[in-house]
Amino acid sequence: MAATLLAFFFLFIIVCFFLQIHRKKPGTKSITTLFGKCIITCRGDEAKWLRKMMLPYLGPDALSNRYSVTMDVVTRLHIQNHWEGRNEVKVFNTVKLYLFELACPTSNNLPPGSFGWPFLGETLEFIRSQTDGTPERFVRERVERYGSPLVFKTSLLGHPTAIFSGPEGNKFLFGNENKLVAMWLPEAVGRLFGNRCLNTTRGDEAKWLRKTMLPCLGPDALSNRYCIAMDEVTRLHIQSQWEGRSEVTVFDTVKPYLFELACRLFLNLDDPRRVTELGSLFNTFLKGLGSLPIDIPGTQFYRGKRAAIAIKKQLIMIINQRKLTLKQENASSFEDLLSHLLLNSDENGQFLSEMEIANNILLLLFAGHDTSAVSITLLMKCLGEHPDVYKNVLKEQLGILEGKAPGEVLNWEDIQKMRYSWNVVCEVLRLNPPVIGSFREALVDFEYAGYTIPKGWKCTHDTKGRR
Ligand code: HEM
C-alpha cells in the first residue's frame, strides 16, 4: 500500500511541475529560478547524467533493496500513532503527513544501525547470540561497527528498536518509566501472561498491582513469613540433592528446588506430585518464552502457550479450593500471596478475578525462577574459582550456625548477619547480571545521546554489552 501511495505522490508532484513549466505567465517566478539547477531544470547530457545518478535511488531496485524496510517501519509507526484505536481519522491530512514522513523520515537524526531484513530485521542474530551463550555479542559487535557506544538502532520481532548500551542506558530507561517509556512485551508474549498482570499493565493499574503485591514480596515478607518455609525446603533439598555427592550440576538441581520453594511460598502447595506436574509444564512454558513468538502448532512457542493454559487451569483449581477454605476458616491461617490477592481489593472495591490472580502468580513464578537459578549457579561457580572468598563465606555461615540451638531454624536476624556473604552475592550479580535486558515502548519522541528515538519505537537496555 505504501509503495502505491508513494508512487501516486511522486506522480502528482511531477505532473504539477510539468503544468507549472508550461503555464509560465508574465510576472510569475520561473520554476527554474525556484529550483535552480536540478533534474527538472536541466536538459541534454546534463539531465541524462543527473537521471543516471538518481536512478539507483528511485527505481524498483531501490524499492526492493533500500526502501522496503524503512517504508515498513514508517508505515507501521504511522498506523500505530495516527490510526490505531481511533474512531475517526481525517484521511487526507493523515495520508499527507504519512507521505511527508515517508519522503523525509526523521531518520537524519535516528541512532546509527541497521534494520536488517524486512520484517525479521536482526531478530535471528539477536536470538542466536542469546542461545549460543554470548548474549553480549550482539550489542558489542554493533557498538563497535557503528561507533556509537550509547545507543544504536535495529529491528527486532518486526519493530524498530533502540538498544541502549551500558549503565547510562539502564538508568535512563528505568528512570523514565511511565514518563518517556513504558513496559512493553511482544503481543504474543503478553497474551501468554494475560490481562491485569504486572507486566502487561501500565499506569495506575500497574501501580495498584505493585502496591498490592509488595507486602508478599518485600523484605518484611521475607522476615515475617517466609524464613521458616525457606529453611525447611532448603534443608530437605540439600539432604536429598547435595549431601554425599562428589559432583552436582548446579543449574539443573536448583531449578526444581526454586520451583518447589515458590509453590510453597506463594500458594502453600507442598504436594510433591502436583508440584512436579506443574514444574514440568512450567519448563515447557519457559522454553516457549525463550523462542521466537510464532504461534502455530509445532513451534516451541505454541507448546509454551498450551503449557501456560494448562498451568493457569491448575492454578484456578487451587484458587477455588483456597476460596472455599477461606470461607470456612480464619483468613489469617493462610498468609501467603494467594490469600493476600484473594482478600485485597482496589480502591473501588474491585477484586482480581481468578484468572487475573493466576496470571500474576504465573508471572511471579517466571520472574523469580530463572533469575534466581542463574544467580545461584553463578555464585557457586565464582566460589569455586575463588577459594579464598569461599573460605570467608563458609566461616561467616559456620559462625552463624554456632550461635543456634540444634535444629533451630533460620531467622531474619541470622540473615542480617550475613554481610560478607551478601556482598559476595552482590558482586556476582554485578559481574554477571542474570537479566540481560527487557523491553520498553517510547511513549513520545525523545532525545538520547543526541539522537531522536521516535514515539512507538521499542527500547531495550543491555546490561552486559559495554562495561
Ligand atoms: C537474582 C534474582 C533476580 C534478579 C536478578 C531479578 C531481576 C529483575 C529485573 C532486572 C527486573 C526489572 C525488569 C524490567 O522492569 O524490565 C525485575 C522485575 C521484577 N522481578 Fe525480579 N529479579 C530477581 C528475582 C526475583 C524474584 C525472586 C521475584 C519474585 C518471586 C522477582 C519478581 C519480580 C517482579 C514482580 C518484577 C516486576 C516488578 C515491576 O514491574 O514493578 N524477581 N527483576
Side-chain angles (χ1 to χ4, degrees):
M1 179 194 95
T4 322
L5 289 173
L6 188 67
F8 274 122
F9 177 61
F10 284 132
L11 195 67
F12 175 69
I13 290 180
I14 290 164
V15 171
C16 291
F17 287 153
F18 184 78
L19 292 175
Q20 188 74 8
I21 290 165
H22 290 273
R23 244 185 43 201
K24 208 169 81 175
K25 291 183 199 151
T28 313
K29 252 194 179 173
S30 107
I31 200 89
T32 317
T33 333
L34 271 180
F35 282 95
K37 194 170 157 187
C38 82
I39 196 164
I40 53 166
T41 56
C42 289
R43 287 186 179 168
D45 285 349
E46 206 160 24
K48 261 193 211 152
W49 177 76
L50 269 173
R51 262 175 219 134
K52 212 170 114 196
M53 285 272 289
M54 289 191 177
L55 199 64
Y57 295 88
L58 296 174
D61 280 354
L63 187 67
S64 59
N65 298 329
R66 262 176 233 265
Y67 296 145
S68 57
V69 176
T70 311
M71 286 170 77
D72 187 59
V73 169
V74 174
T75 310
R76 258 168 218 271
L77 281 175
H78 174 83
I79 290 175
Q80 213 173 308
N81 294 337
H82 300 282
W83 294 75
E84 268 175 22
R86 304 195 181 208
N87 297 333
E88 214 176 284
V89 171
K90 287 193 172 144
V91 179
F92 187 71
N93 290 347
T94 315
V95 170
K96 238 169 48 181
L97 175 72
Y98 160 67
L99 291 172
F100 183 74
E101 287 167 355
L102 203 54
C104 352
T106 47
S107 59
N108 333 349
N109 201 27
L110 294 181
S114 161
F115 287 130
W117 296 92
F119 189 76
L120 266 181
E122 298 190 299
T123 312
L124 296 181
E125 291 96 312
F126 182 74
I127 290 186
R128 208 173 302 129
S129 75
Q130 318 269 322
T131 49
D132 69 10
T134 52
E136 65 280 12
R137 184 168 49 81
F138 182 85
V139 175
R140 201 167 282 163
E141 281 174 3
R142 281 156 184 79
V143 163
E144 280 167 20
R145 191 179 307 155
Y146 305 121
S148 171
L150 293 177
V151 62
F152 66 88
K153 70 169 183 276
T154 181
S155 168
L156 299 177
L157 301 168
H159 298 279
T161 305
I163 299 203
F164 291 66
S165 175
E168 306 87 343
N170 293 355
K171 197 169 167 201
F172 181 85
L173 285 182
F174 284 113
N176 282 295
E177 183 79 39
N178 290 324
K179 292 178 220 155
L180 301 179
V181 294
M183 183 83 99
W184 178 83
L185 283 177
E187 209 182 310
V189 177
R191 276 203 303 271
L192 286 191
F193 285 104
N195 291 336
R196 254 188 135 191
C197 181
L198 200 51
N199 63 346
T200 55
T201 46
R202 289 179 181 178
D204 287 347
E205 191 149 62
K207 268 192 205 147
W208 174 74
L209 271 172
R210 268 176 209 144
K211 214 171 104 195
T212 308
M213 286 190 189
L214 198 65
C216 295
L217 297 175
D220 282 355
L222 187 68
S223 58
N224 299 329
R225 285 171 221 230
Y226 296 153
C227 269
I228 297 174
M230 284 171 77
D231 187 286
E232 194 182 311
V233 176
T234 309
R235 263 172 215 259
L236 285 174
H237 169 74
I238 290 177
Q239 272 165 19
S240 64
Q241 304 296 323
W242 295 72
E243 272 176 20
R245 303 196 184 207
S246 57
E247 213 176 284
V248 171
T249 310
V250 179
F251 189 66
D252 294 346
T253 312
V254 294
K255 271 177 76 157
Y257 152 67
L258 289 168
F259 190 73
E260 195 185 327
L261 193 59
C263 288
R264 179 74 179 272
L265 301 182
F266 298 151
L267 304 165
N268 203 28
L269 183 71
D270 56 5
D271 173 355
R273 192 186 52 81
R274 286 184 93 174
V275 173
T276 313
E277 202 181 320
L278 265 178
S280 141
L281 286 169
F282 186 68
N283 281 335
T284 313
F285 166 71
L286 283 184
K287 280 191 191 139
L289 265 188
S291 65
L292 265 182
I294 302 171
D295 191 7
I296 48 173
T299 60
Q300 249 180 12
F301 186 82
Y302 183 80
R303 283 195 289 276
K305 187 181 93 174
R306 308 291 313 162
I309 294 170
I311 294 171
K312 288 185 196 176
K313 214 166 142 189
Q314 293 213 23
L315 288 176
I316 286 175
M317 271 161 52
I318 296 170
I319 293 166
N320 284 330
Q321 274 168 9
R322 176 64 61 84
K323 274 175 118 176
L324 273 179
T325 319
L326 284 175
K327 258 188 207 160
Q328 289 158 3
E329 294 181 19
N330 180 0
S332 64
S333 63
F334 287 99
E335 284 186 346
D336 58 10
L337 180 83
L338 176 52
S339 291
H340 184 75
L341 292 179
L342 280 169
L343 295 170
N344 283 281
S345 60
D346 64 15
E347 63 266 26
N348 303 320
Q350 249 205 339
F351 288 87
L352 288 172
S353 70
E354 285 88 357
M355 182 53 95
E356 288 161 356
I357 292 178
N359 293 344
N360 282 291
I361 289 180
L362 179 62
L363 165 70
L364 287 178
L365 291 173
F366 160 71
H369 191 265
D370 268 15
T371 45
S372 307
V374 169
S375 306
I376 293 174
T377 307
L378 290 169
L379 174 68
M380 300 305 278
K381 179 172 174 284
C382 290
L383 289 178
E385 286 168 354
H386 298 90
D388 48 328
V389 178
Y390 170 67
K391 226 189 266 169
N392 289 336
V393 169
L394 189 64
K395 194 172 150 205
E396 187 176 72
Q397 296 291 319
L398 290 175
I400 294 167
L401 187 69
E402 265 170 27
K404 297 191 75 75
E408 190 188 341
V409 293
L410 196 75
N411 59 40
W412 183 236
E413 284 74 43
D414 300 328
I415 293 176
Q416 281 177 317
K417 285 182 203 154
M418 298 180 187
R419 290 189 177 198
Y420 183 83
S421 309
W422 177 240
N423 283 335
V424 173
V425 172
C426 291
E427 186 60 0
V428 169
L429 291 179
R430 187 183 74 80
L431 293 172
N432 310 278
V435 177
I436 50 159
S438 56
F439 284 102
R440 297 287 186 273
E441 184 178 56
L443 297 173
V444 288
D445 285 4
F446 65 85
E447 297 288 316
Y448 181 73
Y451 297 110
T452 303
I453 312 298
K455 178 180 171 191
W457 272 39
K458 311 310 168 217
C459 306
T460 177
H461 62 97
D462 141 71
T463 37
K464 289 193 94 175
R466 189 173 62 77
R467 319 185 120 235

